[in-house]
Amino acid sequence: MPDSSQLVTRIPVLRPELPTTDALVPYLRSLEDSRIYTNNGPMVLRLEQRLSAYFGQPKGGVTAAASGTAALIGAILTKAGRATTGKPIALCASFTFVASATAAQNCGYAPHFVDISPDHWALDPDSLHNHPRLHEAGLVVVTAPFGRLVDLAAWEAFEARTGVPVVVDCAAGFDVMVRANAPLSKTIPVAVSFHATKAFGCGEGGAVFSADPDFALRCHRAVNNGFLGCRQVIGDNTNGKMSEYHACVGMAELDRWAHKQTRYEAMATTYRNAFRTVGLADRIHVGGEVSAVYALCHCPDAMSAETLRMALAYDGYETRFWYGAGLHAEQGFGPYTHDPMPNTDTLASQLVGLPAYLDLPDAEMEQIAATVARVI
Ligand SMILES: Cc1ncc(COP(=O)(O)O)c(C=O)c1O
């Protein structure tokens, strides 16, 4: 039997597909004409308008940003400002990508990791309401894991009851938000990533969605070094602007978005059918509640998850624990304080990311499902 270092990856876990060069050319030409390459130029404004329209928001309701992390930092600075000595911590999930906590840390907060609900994989507003460190918290960062939407109304109620500002990290959730026609919140900003690996991508980019036009204006200012319409710096800020180049890719991505969504839906349907055929329909999460860039196999325990990863690796399939073992287990980040983490520890060890991308052949999905059936 070969050891794991001899295994050759034939099928990667992800193969992003962004707009073609031909699709970009007309947009790039218009940059040449305008000679504006950044600083909220015409292309970023057009992209923001088109994204606003997607969610029925007035012009300017969406703030484009340089990355999902920058969007989150902009949302935090606008919503909560920087940490203070009386409110030094941010309550965050550990079951997330590191950027959720990095964004809080960049705004001066010390992350404190809280366990998630086993039902919806996110922080739970009702349990957090009684958290012993709530009085120290200047911020709650709620991750929508794998784009799985969180209950914004429940978080609005939490915020109203506790006075602790809440920001949602829905980095992977653009496609889920569009599919669910999800209403935006007037009080809780939602940050999204347009990283190349996300369903809607522009290379590096992101946006903050809010139903409050005044919030959106202040957020534009926060990611624009504190400038808005005049040369006077106002408020906590960063340089988190999206460049015109990235906006060009975003525009071309929006042009083909309906078609891309249909292709994602087709991939998700094939995966679900393949798992249904082997009697494991309830083990696969792909599309639907989670972003279609993830195909997640929920194994019954950590041992079967590891066995599955090894079995798939032998067949050349790459897999990934997308959120590692949780941020509380990271060795080079922090250390930060955390609660007991039974739900995070369990889920992180069971949820195996399978290969998922638009041109993944049907036969590969069927083969993967067959391997899962053999292992589980
Ligand atoms: C949950 C989560 N938050 C934040 C981010 C950061 O987004 P970006 O890479 O665009 O900065 C990601 C990116 O993968 C993510 O998955």
Side-chain angles (χ1 to χ4, degrees):
M1 195 183 281
D3 74 37
S4 53
S5 64
Q6 295 170 291
L7 300 176
V8 177
T9 297
R10 195 172 50 79
I11 301 289
V13 73
L14 188 76
R15 247 178 114 224
E17 188 195 290
L18 263 58
T20 60
T21 307
D22 286 348
L24 295 181
V25 168
Y27 290 113
L28 292 174
R29 288 240 158 79
S30 85
L31 295 201
E32 251 163 37
D33 295 340
S34 73
R35 305 267 293 267
I36 299 172
Y37 305 106
T38 185
N39 289 2
N40 293 317
M43 202 59 74
V44 163
L45 294 180
R46 279 171 68 192
L47 179 64
E48 287 178 340
Q49 277 171 23
R50 287 181 72 185
L51 290 170
S52 299
Y54 246 94
F55 290 92
Q57 295 304 304
K59 197 169 136 186
V62 172
T63 309
S67 65
T69 310
L72 202 48
I73 291 174
I76 293 170
L77 292 178
T78 310
K79 183 73 203 267
R82 294 193 183 279
T84 59
T85 41
K87 303 271 183 191
I89 68 166
L91 300 174
C92 314
S94 163
F95 189 61
T96 182
F97 183 63
V98 64
S100 317
T102 303
Q105 194 193 31
N106 274 252
C107 299
Y109 296 91
H112 173 88
F113 298 119
V114 178
D115 206 8
I116 48 168
S117 153
D119 302 328
H120 50 69
W121 309 346
L123 295 183
D124 182 55
D126 292 330
S127 332
L128 207 63
H129 183 231
N130 299 315
H131 196 277
R133 296 195 69 188
L134 194 61
H135 63 286
E136 294 173 73
L139 173 69
V140 177
V141 181
V142 183
T143 296
F146 309 106
R148 194 173 177 176
L149 302 183
V150 300
D151 184 347
L152 284 180
W155 284 107
E156 284 172 359
F158 169 91
E159 197 178 67
R161 245 181 332 179
T162 63
V164 183
V166 175
V167 166
V168 171
D169 176 1
C170 191
F174 182 78
D175 60 319
V176 191
M177 287 165 67
V178 172
R179 257 199 312 279
N181 198 12
L184 302 178
S185 166
K186 271 199 170 5
T187 50
I188 312 238
V190 175
V192 170
S193 165
F194 299 152
H195 191 259
T197 53
K198 302 295 184 274
F200 178 93
C202 72
E204 289 280 2
V208 183
F209 290 82
S210 163
D212 175 5
D214 179 56
F215 180 92
L217 271 185
R218 287 184 291 117
C219 195
H220 272 97
R221 190 173 65 197
V223 295
N224 186 28
N225 298 102
F227 295 116
L228 186 72
C230 66
R231 219 189 170 299
Q232 186 192 359
V233 183
I234 298 178
D236 292 327
N237 66 79
T238 184
N239 179 5
K241 297 185 294 290
M242 178 183 276
S243 84
E244 290 286 283
Y245 286 102
H246 290 90
C248 287
V249 187
M251 291 288 280
E253 182 79 331
L254 260 189
D255 293 342
R256 65 176 198 143
W257 176 239
H259 181 53
K260 197 177 185 188
Q261 262 186 308
T262 309
R263 291 170 65 208
Y264 269 125
E265 201 42 61
M267 183 206 75
T269 303
T270 306
Y271 244 134
R272 284 196 290 262
N273 286 342
F275 272 68
R276 190 172 302 119
T277 303
V278 297
L280 291 174
D282 57 338
R283 291 278 166 204
I284 181 91
H285 298 274
V286 56
E289 281 197 343
V290 300
S291 170
V293 291
Y294 302 105
L296 304 167
C297 179
H298 199 159
C299 296
D301 50 47
M303 178 71 91
S304 58
E306 284 301 348
T307 310
L308 174 63
R309 294 193 70 195
M310 197 43 83
L312 288 171
Y314 279 133
D315 290 342
Y317 297 107
E318 186 188 15
T319 57
R320 192 166 297 172
F321 286 125
W322 281 106
Y323 298 150
L327 295 179
H328 68 291
E330 288 292 335
Q331 297 298 310
F333 180 67
Y336 290 112
T337 53
H338 64 87
D339 296 347
M341 290 282 167
N343 298 332
T344 300
D345 290 340
T346 302
L347 196 60
S349 68
Q350 294 178 347
L351 219 45
V352 176
L354 303 174
Y357 46 87
L358 288 169
D359 49 355
L360 179 62
D362 292 3
E364 303 291 2
M365 292 184 247
E366 284 151 15
Q367 178 58 44
I368 289 168
T371 304
V372 174
R374 186 160 45 82
V375 170
I376 294 188

